[in-house]
Amino acid sequence: MTQEISIPVEAANMRADRFIRQQFKGVTQGWIEKAIRKGEIRADNKKLKAAGDRLIEGQTLTLPPLPELDAPAPQIAPTVNPKLAKTIKQSVIVETADYIALNKPHGIASQGGSKVIWSIDRLGAALVPEGTDAPKLVHRLDKDTSGLMLLAKTAAAARKLGDVFKSREMRKCYLAITIGVPVNVEGRFVQRLIKKPTPHGGEMVQVDPQGQSAVTDYVVLDTLGKRYALLALWPRTGRTHQLRVHLAHNGTPIAGDHKYGSGTPEDKLPDRLYLHALRLSWPEQKKPLIALPDAEFTTALGILGLNFSSTHDPFADLD
C-alpha cells in the first residue's frame, strides 16, 4: 500500500531519510536509499534526489509499499519523569498565548532521533496541561548549545514564527567564549559554507567558495590576554554550524568545540561547548527576549576573568 504523509511544521528542513525512519519502525537506511534510486519516493510528486534532501512544511511525501509497515508508527512519547519535567519547567522564561520561550540547557537535543531518548520537542509536553497538544518547535539549537529557544503553542503560531525565521526578520544574538582573540575588536565573517560527508558517514560544514552565503557579525566584549575572548555574535544568515565554523576558520574556535575546534578547554573549565543563544527580537516583539547564561557558563567566565554585563546588548542598535 502506497503511503502519503503531509510534512508537519516540526519536520520542516529535516532530512527525508531521518523523517522516514522516525515515522516507520524498522525501515532501514539501505531500503530508503534503494527506493530513492528507483524513483519510488517523491515529495509533491517529484522524485527525491538523495536521502539527505530537506523536507518542506506542507509537502506530501509519497512512499512505496512497506512490508508489514503499512501504517506510521504511533508517535507515543514516554512519560516524562519528574526530574526532567522540573528541569524543563524551570527553563521557561516567558509564556504568551502564542509561544513559550525557554532557556535550553546544553546537552539536550532540540529534536528526537534514533539515538535520542529525550529532546525539547518531547519534553515540551510537560509544559502544557495533560491531554492538550504539545508545543511545536519553530527553530533549533545544536544539542550542545544553550540558550533561548521558542516553542509555538498552536499550529498557526508555528507557521507565523516559522515565516519570521525564514524571512530573516528574526534578530539573533549569541555569546561565545573563544580560544584566541580576533584581530579586530569588531567585524564580519563572510566565508561561504557547504556541507560535506565525512569518511564515517556523518557531515561536516566547511568553508568553500562554492558554498552558500553565510554572514556573521561579531563584537569582542572582553579578553584574557591573547588566550581567550568573550564574543557577541549576530548571525545574519542561518546556516548549519555557521558560528562554529566561521570562528574556527578564522583562528578563534569556540572553547569546548569537539567537532570544529580543539576539543576540551583548558584552565579547568567544564568540558562543554561555550556557545549560548542570548537574545531574540523580531518586529512584532516590542521587547527583546533575553536568556542569561547558565551557572556553568557564568562560572567559566569567572575562572577566566571575562566580564559580561547582562544589561548591555551589543547589537541592540543594529536591529
Side-chain angles (χ1 to χ4, degrees):
M1 179 180 175
T2 300
Q3 302 290 325
E4 289 191 352
I5 305 173
S6 180
I7 304 304
V9 62
E10 57 267 26
N13 203 39
M14 187 186 293
R15 286 174 58 107
D17 54 354
R18 181 180 177 188
F19 178 75
I20 294 169
R21 291 198 309 270
Q22 283 188 3
Q23 294 296 310
F24 295 94
K25 190 178 294 185
V27 170
T28 65
Q29 185 71 17
W31 183 93
I32 295 171
E33 293 180 0
K34 182 178 179 180
I36 289 174
R37 288 195 300 270
K38 293 170 68 176
E40 296 177 336
I41 300 180
R42 297 170 177 266
D44 285 346
N45 212 29
K46 294 181 180 179
K47 296 178 182 179
L48 290 188
K49 296 179 180 179
D53 284 358
R54 299 286 173 170
L55 300 175
I56 300 172
E57 178 194 353
Q59 275 184 328
T60 298
L61 190 68
T62 304
L63 305 174
L66 301 173
E68 300 181 5
L69 295 170
D70 286 342
Q75 300 298 299
I76 302 175
T79 303
V80 182
N81 69 49
K83 184 177 180 180
L84 285 172
K86 182 178 180 180
T87 296
I88 198 70
K89 289 176 181 178
Q90 289 177 337
S91 72
V92 174
I93 301 170
V94 175
E95 181 173 355
T96 72
D98 290 330
Y99 64 79
I100 300 172
L102 303 177
N103 192 347
K104 184 185 89 67
H106 78 90
I108 298 180
S110 295
Q111 194 162 37
S114 58
K115 297 181 180 179
V116 178
I117 298 175
W118 290 110
S119 56
I120 295 298
D121 59 341
R122 286 185 174 178
L123 291 171
L127 301 176
V128 294
E130 187 175 350
T132 60
D133 292 338
K136 300 169 176 58
L137 294 180
V138 292
H139 68 121
R140 296 166 182 79
L141 295 177
D142 290 344
K143 177 181 178 180
D144 295 322
T145 300
S146 59
L148 190 54
M149 197 171 175
L150 296 183
L151 299 176
K153 296 176 71 173
T154 66
R159 286 192 294 271
K160 187 175 181 179
L161 287 169
D163 289 342
V164 174
F165 275 97
K166 291 174 185 176
S167 68
R168 296 179 185 171
E169 291 182 312
M170 186 69 74
R171 302 302 190 190
K172 297 172 281 187
C173 182
Y174 289 72
L175 292 178
I177 298 175
T178 63
I179 299 175
V181 180
V183 175
N184 299 311
V185 174
E186 61 182 73
R188 171 174 288 184
F189 301 132
V190 296
Q191 291 84 12
R192 302 177 76 88
L193 304 178
I194 193 170
K195 291 181 182 178
K196 294 185 177 180
T198 66
H200 305 293
E203 287 184 332
M204 289 280 285
V205 178
Q206 300 178 17
V207 170
D208 190 302
Q210 303 304 313
Q212 293 179 304
S213 172
V215 180
T216 302
D217 288 330
Y218 73 88
V219 169
V220 177
L221 301 178
D222 201 4
T223 64
L224 176 61
K226 297 294 183 182
R227 297 175 60 202
Y228 291 94
L230 175 64
L231 269 61
L233 303 162
W234 185 18
R236 298 184 68 114
T237 52
R239 308 304 177 198
T240 301
H241 296 169
Q242 174 178 318
L243 302 179
R244 297 166 66 180
V245 177
H246 270 166
L247 287 167
H249 178 78
N250 286 279
T252 55
I254 297 175
D257 192 341
H258 288 266
K259 188 162 189 173
Y260 299 103
S262 56
T264 306
E266 299 177 355
D267 296 285
K268 298 182 180 180
L269 300 183
D271 187 8
R272 60 163 285 180
L273 179 70
Y274 285 93
L275 179 63
H276 179 79
L278 174 70
R279 176 184 185 271
L280 285 175
S281 66
W282 62 100
E284 292 186 3
Q285 180 68 24
K286 295 181 180 180
K287 184 178 180 181
L289 299 177
I290 303 288
L292 296 178
D294 58 39
E296 198 170 68
F297 197 111
T298 303
T299 296
L301 293 176
I303 292 172
L304 299 176
L306 297 172
N307 294 310
F308 166 67
S309 171
S310 61
T311 61
H312 174 59
D313 182 352
F315 289 117
D317 295 333
L318 298 180
D319 285 353

